[in-house]
Amino acid sequence: MVEVAGTDTHIAWVKGDDIIKSITLPIGSVNFTYDFNLDDRILPQDLTVALEFIDELLDEVDWLKETKFDSIIGIASTIRSVGKIDRVRKRYPFDIPHNYELSDLDVQEIFNLLKCKDYKQRQKLEGIEPELADIIVGGTAIFKKIANLVHCSKIIISSRGLREGLMYEYLEKTYSIPNDILDYSLNGILNTLNSDINHAKNVFNITLNLFNALKPLHHLGDEFYNIIKTSTMLHDSGISINYYNHHKHSFYVILNSYINGLTHKEFIMSAAIAASHRFNRYQTPISPFSSIINQLDLKNVNRIGVLVKIAEGLDRSLVGAVKNLEVSFDDENVNIKVSSDIDVDFEIRQALRASDKFKEVYGKTLVIRAV
């Protein structure tokens, strides 16, 4: 984790919830910029001396050179500005800085772009905050050198910082909150929107059971768990806008909600699955996000989406009628046996409305009966 602050740079080796090692370097975007004349037009000799100075400081941090890191998490204004510039130049369709990913090559290209411009030119550069135009080169140089040293190509931007950390720490000590940050986010949205939480949980549990039982058919792994949870728990979130066509509203409610624990791809796939839970042929407006998700992702949206349709049907009466289900399949059929202590003919009829879509996606006939 790297934070290039105004007068310091904080580096921490984080593993799980533990900080293994950390160090604070006595250079930041402000003092480094003005010590080496990087605020306006940059002379090659000044830049060379500045970069060599960073190398000398980093050379003393043995654990940075000796450890292999999976990714770099960048926080604070410098790396957020780099991320915003990158999103603009790539015409990225998702204007959410948190969890945005870029590579070390992207950082190098942006650094090359910035160092060739003077102060006024950088102020006009799309994506950069004008008040950071003088210190952005110095801050980016520090971050770039750290990324080069650790040979890590995956850089993740966090828009959360000390403020959010202190708030979460206070809430954790004062109130009973879930350990899973995604659960915490989803529960907050459900409570804010006054959603039917029991129904959401029922749809989630049924979908997850179907997903696990049908793994030999769809060949998807546990990495889709967060997508399944988000899409099912928030599938009715659009009702807060309007009940009619609420699936359409659920799409943009999810995309514009404050949810921690999801990548941008997971965000979009969750929204698309939630938007497809109704028994109609609604086409999710997914084309603007083609730079983030591909055709395989869309197939996976359909594979999970049809399971959500079935789960929605099996809890259509909103009373948790289905207590258990058993899934089996052969060459032609997928058989679902539903257990309940009340009559579930209505729920089964509703779930079977997904039969055509299920046949299209899985190539098998859907059979549901009560036992």
Side-chain angles (χ1 to χ4, degrees):
M1 183 176 291
V2 178
E3 177 191 14
V4 181
T7 57
D8 304 285
T9 294
H10 308 287
I11 308 173
W13 172 10
V14 180
K15 193 171 184 179
D17 293 332
D18 300 319
I19 296 178
I20 309 300
K21 289 182 181 293
S22 64
I23 189 170
T24 297
L25 304 178
I27 54 169
S29 55
V30 176
N31 58 359
F32 180 72
T33 292
Y34 286 95
D35 285 348
F36 292 94
N37 303 314
L38 305 178
D39 55 312
D40 198 348
R41 188 169 70 89
I42 299 172
L43 301 177
Q45 56 268 33
D46 287 336
L47 185 60
T48 299
V49 173
L51 295 177
E52 288 176 350
F53 182 75
I54 300 174
D55 287 333
E56 291 174 6
L57 287 178
L58 293 176
D59 192 55
E60 299 176 3
V61 188
D62 292 333
W63 57 269
L64 268 181
K65 297 180 289 183
E66 297 168 356
T67 308
K68 182 174 177 59
F69 299 96
D70 295 329
S71 60
I72 300 174
I73 299 177
I75 59 176
S77 58
T78 293
I79 187 59
R80 286 201 298 270
S81 295
V82 170
K84 190 170 184 179
I85 295 170
D86 194 55
R87 293 198 303 278
V88 168
R89 75 190 187 111
K90 291 178 179 177
R91 296 182 179 178
Y92 193 71
F94 210 30
D95 192 26
I96 294 182
H98 188 64
N99 260 349
Y100 178 69
E101 293 186 17
L102 66 163
S103 69
D104 56 338
L105 294 178
D106 291 326
V107 175
Q108 180 66 58
E109 290 174 2
I110 291 170
F111 176 70
N112 292 340
L113 172 69
L114 293 171
K115 73 179 183 180
C116 296
K117 298 182 180 295
D118 61 27
Y119 173 67
K120 289 186 178 179
Q121 290 173 327
R122 291 196 294 270
Q123 279 188 312
K124 298 176 182 178
L125 189 64
E126 194 173 359
I128 191 172
E129 298 293 335
E131 60 268 24
L132 298 178
D134 57 338
I135 61 174
I136 187 67
V137 176
T140 305
I142 297 170
F143 190 91
K144 177 190 82 75
K145 277 296 186 179
I146 296 170
N148 292 345
L149 177 66
V150 299
H151 303 291
C152 188
S153 61
K154 183 179 181 180
I155 297 168
I156 304 171
I157 295 176
S158 172
S159 64
R160 318 295 190 246
L162 181 62
R163 176 176 57 234
E164 288 82 5
L166 289 172
M167 290 173 61
Y168 188 80
E169 186 178 57
Y170 169 77
L171 292 171
E172 190 176 34
K173 290 178 179 179
T174 310
Y175 301 96
S176 176
I177 62 174
N179 291 325
D180 189 326
I181 192 67
L182 177 59
D183 285 341
Y184 182 61
S185 296
L186 297 179
N187 290 342
I189 295 169
L190 290 167
N191 287 319
T192 299
L193 300 180
N194 197 27
S195 298
D196 187 337
I197 296 178
N198 288 329
H199 172 59
K201 288 180 178 178
N202 290 335
V203 173
F204 166 62
N205 289 328
I206 294 172
T207 303
L208 187 61
N209 286 337
L210 293 173
F211 177 83
N212 289 332
L214 296 177
K215 278 184 177 180
L217 299 183
H218 56 61
H219 307 293
L220 303 180
D222 293 338
E223 66 272 17
F224 289 88
Y225 178 82
N226 285 346
I227 295 174
I228 294 170
K229 176 176 280 188
T230 303
S231 60
T232 52
M233 294 298 289
L234 300 182
H235 75 281
D236 278 342
S237 57
I239 292 176
S240 61
I241 307 297
N242 193 322
Y243 176 79
Y244 299 101
N245 293 322
H246 68 264
H247 56 295
K248 298 179 182 180
H249 302 306
S250 294
F251 181 77
Y252 64 78
V253 167
I254 292 175
L255 287 185
N256 291 279
S257 292
Y258 190 96
I259 303 176
N260 292 304
L262 296 178
T263 66
H264 287 188
K265 178 178 286 192
E266 289 172 336
F267 246 114
I268 296 168
M269 291 180 70
S270 298
I273 292 168
S276 68
H277 79 271
R278 299 290 293 276
F279 299 100
N280 54 35
R281 288 286 178 174
Y282 173 65
Q283 296 295 317
T284 308
I286 212 73
S287 55
F289 305 99
S290 58
S291 62
I292 302 176
I293 63 174
N294 53 39
Q295 288 299 315
L296 179 59
D297 296 323
L298 293 178
K299 288 182 179 179
N300 292 334
V301 165
N302 287 329
R303 288 167 179 152
I304 299 172
V306 71
L307 302 183
V308 179
K309 287 180 188 288
I310 297 169
E312 170 78 356
L314 290 176
D315 197 54
R316 190 66 182 87
S317 59
L318 309 180
V319 296
V322 174
K323 303 302 180 185
N324 190 32
L325 53 84
E326 296 179 10
V327 182
S328 61
F329 54 86
D330 53 34
D331 291 340
E332 296 182 356
N333 301 323
V334 169
N335 302 288
I336 302 176
K337 296 179 181 179
V338 177
S339 300
S340 177
D341 50 14
I342 63 174
D343 182 81
V344 288
D345 285 348
F346 173 65
E347 281 78 9
I348 290 175
R349 287 198 305 272
Q350 289 295 312
L352 285 173
R353 293 175 66 190
S355 296
D356 291 343
K357 185 66 176 179
F358 188 86
K359 180 78 171 182
E360 176 187 325
V361 173
Y362 285 93
K364 296 182 185 295
T365 301
L366 179 64
V367 179
I368 307 176
R369 62 187 180 89
V371 295

